[in-house]
Amino acid sequence: MAHNPHAPQPGPEGTPDPAGSTQMFRAFVDEGEPQRRQETAAAPSGPKTGVIVAVVAVVVVLGAVAWLALG
């Protein structure tokens, strides 16, 4: 196994330090937070636009099929 200098080191009793693990987890969570805020600010129009385009495409295809079948 590779040596990881950032991994929590065992304490005097030989057990891992839970505070070190918690600090690393919080740093990991806080690291991705600004990106999530930017994505959520830009995202609301994305899914709605995709659904609208898909519905319009389905209506056009069904209209074309009906026109060919009845024509």
Side-chain angles (χ1 to χ4, degrees):
M1 190 163 159
H3 174 68
N4 185 357
H6 300 291
Q9 301 300 316
E13 297 85 26
T15 58
D17 178 23
S21 298
T22 304
Q23 289 171 353
M24 288 192 305
F25 175 73
R26 287 183 180 161
F28 171 74
V29 171
D30 292 341
E31 186 176 282
E33 193 170 334
Q35 293 175 348
R36 264 187 267 141
R37 287 182 185 164
Q38 290 173 353
E39 288 175 7
T40 56
S45 63
K48 289 181 183 177
T49 304
V51 170
I52 291 171
V53 169
V55 168
V56 169
V58 167
V59 169
V60 168
V61 168
L62 289 176
V65 169
W67 181 68
L68 289 173
L70 297 175

